[in-house]
């Protein structure tokens, strides 16, 4: 049986790319019974007599997956956050990073609309960028009018499956248009009333960019830590994970325990307090989560 990768899911159809081209497929009825939901990025086995009438027979094992946006087998996530309109939010960025780290996906932080920022905003955003770089994250700035800034992103895309994600209205489609102008993806301005962009992307699709695949995904503004447990949280913050080996107690949550190396590092300036505060907030959110049965 032929095998391929789902590159688009739309209206119950799955478009599978393989050596001979692209085949439109449906999922087997047994998938619904077994609660198997094929995702863009899945490696699948399928059968088809022509290019428009195929059936997916098997979804191969995934190395990772995201719920929102729904995509599997991602190598890296390009997290797009704007300097203005909407304003840069380190809290929202850290929510994204928590989920990305939990799924063992490499994050790249891309801060857009730097050309629209005034001097004070630019200094504030650059200070955040400096801190994230010290942690070990790749951070780059882009602007709608500076295509050369996007060129710095291109080498990171080759040979990888990347997801472009971020808050609505931050410029994800604009970024893809700069990477591949012939796409002419629809973009929209920010709603003055709501302070956010319209969801200009309606489905997930993998698009060839250079020698890699990039997913343009529907915008969203919140992330739920559905599968993350309290004991996982530290590992999602690299600087906390590094310091946690020096804590007195194994399994230290870095909140109420004495002789905690993480809290000491925060007090001494070795860990940014806003990052620690976000960690504490996320741990509390996980603890408050209703148990699943």
């Amino acid at each position: 049986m032929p095998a391929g990768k789902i590159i688009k899911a739309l209206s119950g159809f799955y478009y599978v790319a393989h050596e001979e081209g692209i085949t439109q497929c449906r999922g087997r009825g047994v998938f619904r019974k077994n609660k198997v939901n094929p995702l863009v990025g899945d490696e699948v086995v399928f059968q088809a007599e022509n290019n428009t009438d195929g059936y997916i027979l098997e979804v191969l094992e995934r190395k990772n997956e995201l719920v929102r946006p729904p995509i599997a087998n991602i190598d890296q996530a390009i997290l797009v956050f704007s300097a203005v309109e909407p304003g840069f939010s380190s809290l929202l960025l850290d929510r994204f990073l928590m989920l990305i780290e939990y799924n063992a996906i490499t994050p790249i932080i891309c801060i857009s609309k730097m050309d629209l920022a005034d001097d004070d905003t630019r200094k504030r955003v650059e200070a955040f960028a400096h801190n994230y770089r010290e942690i070990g994250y790749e951070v780059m700035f882009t602007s709608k009018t500076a295509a050369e800034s996007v060129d710095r992103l291109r080498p990171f895309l080759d040979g990888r499956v990347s997801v472009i994600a971020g808050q609505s209205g931050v410029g994800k489609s604009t970024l893809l248009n700069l990477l591949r102008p012939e796409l002419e993806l629809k973009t929209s301005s920010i709603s003055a009333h709501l302070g956010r962009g319209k969801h200009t992307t309606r489905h997930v699709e993998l698009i060839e960019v250079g020698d890699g695949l990039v997913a343009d995904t529907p915008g969203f503004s919140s992330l739920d830590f559905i599968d993350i447990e309290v004991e996982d949280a530290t590992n999602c913050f690299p600087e906390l994970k590094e310091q946690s080996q020096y804590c007195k107690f194994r399994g230290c949550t870095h909140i109420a325990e004495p002789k905690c190396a993480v809290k000491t590092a925060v007090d001494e300036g070795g860990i940014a307090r806003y990052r620690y505060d976000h960690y504490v907030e996320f741990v509390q959110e996980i603890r408050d989560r209703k148990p699943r049965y």
Side-chain angles (χ1 to χ4, degrees):
M1 292 294 178
K5 180 192 292 288
I6 298 176
I7 60 169
K8 181 169 69 171
L10 184 64
S11 301
F13 290 101
Y14 303 97
Y15 297 81
V16 179
H18 50 92
E19 291 183 354
E20 304 299 324
I22 298 174
T23 299
Q24 178 181 283
C25 296
R26 289 188 180 273
R28 294 178 62 193
V30 71
F31 285 168
R32 181 175 299 178
K33 178 180 178 181
N34 295 336
K35 297 183 179 179
V36 174
N37 181 31
L39 297 175
V40 169
D42 272 332
E43 300 288 345
V44 299
V45 176
F46 70 99
Q47 68 177 19
E49 296 183 357
N50 53 61
N51 289 335
T52 60
D53 192 22
Y55 284 89
I56 294 174
L57 303 180
E58 181 183 1
V59 176
L60 303 183
E61 184 177 358
R62 297 165 178 159
K63 69 177 181 180
N64 56 42
E65 66 179 273
L66 296 178
V67 177
R68 296 190 308 179
I71 187 171
N73 299 319
I74 313 109
D75 297 313
Q76 63 186 9
I78 302 164
L79 304 179
V80 184
F81 281 74
S82 56
V84 295
E85 298 180 2
F88 180 81
S89 169
S90 61
L91 176 62
L92 186 56
L93 173 56
D94 284 345
R95 293 185 71 88
F96 274 76
L97 288 171
M98 179 115 160
L99 183 65
I100 295 303
E101 292 280 3
Y102 176 75
N103 284 283
I105 299 170
T106 300
I108 297 176
I109 301 169
C110 180
I111 304 177
S112 64
K113 304 184 184 181
M114 288 296 286
D115 53 319
L116 303 180
D118 58 29
D119 289 342
D120 289 342
T121 300
R122 179 179 290 273
K123 289 178 181 178
R124 173 178 173 271
V125 172
E126 288 177 344
F128 277 117
H130 175 74
N131 179 240
Y132 283 108
R133 288 181 179 127
E134 284 192 324
I135 294 169
Y137 291 120
E138 185 74 36
V139 183
M140 59 185 64
F141 299 120
T142 63
S143 62
K144 185 176 181 179
T145 57
E148 66 272 11
S149 63
V150 178
D151 289 338
R152 293 197 295 270
L153 179 60
R154 295 183 187 275
F156 293 95
L157 305 179
D158 290 343
R160 300 179 177 93
V161 175
S162 305
V163 57
I164 294 181
Q167 189 178 10
S168 297
V170 296
K172 298 187 298 297
S173 293
T174 296
L175 179 60
L176 264 176
N177 282 336
L178 287 172
L179 289 167
R180 278 193 59 181
E182 69 274 18
L183 292 175
E184 297 183 348
L185 296 174
K186 182 181 177 183
T187 61
S188 66
S189 58
I190 301 298
S191 164
H193 177 65
L194 297 175
R196 61 176 184 265
K198 297 179 182 179
H199 290 201
T200 53
T201 309
R202 296 296 180 180
H203 64 275
V204 181
E205 180 175 358
L206 288 174
I207 299 168
E208 288 187 7
V209 176
D211 293 327
L213 293 171
V214 177
D216 187 25
T217 62
F220 53 96
S221 59
S222 65
L223 291 165
D224 299 321
F225 304 134
I226 298 172
D227 298 314
I228 303 177
E229 302 297 340
V230 171
E231 54 268 26
D232 301 319
T234 297
N235 292 333
C236 297
F237 283 72
E239 70 274 42
L240 273 66
K241 179 181 179 181
E242 181 179 356
Q243 287 296 322
S244 65
Q245 61 184 310
Y246 304 114
C247 293
K248 181 176 181 179
F249 298 102
R250 177 178 291 184
C252 181
T253 63
H254 323 302
I255 295 176
E257 299 88 344
K259 298 185 178 180
C260 170
V262 168
K263 289 191 291 183
T264 298
V266 174
D267 292 338
E268 294 178 352
I271 293 176
R273 183 164 293 278
Y274 76 90
R275 285 273 292 173
Y276 174 75
D277 290 343
H278 295 166
Y279 164 81
V280 173
E281 180 176 333
F282 298 159
V283 167
Q284 188 60 52
E285 181 177 330
I286 294 170
R287 286 175 170 167
D288 292 341
R289 184 178 62 206
K290 292 181 179 180
R292 291 175 292 170
Y293 299 101

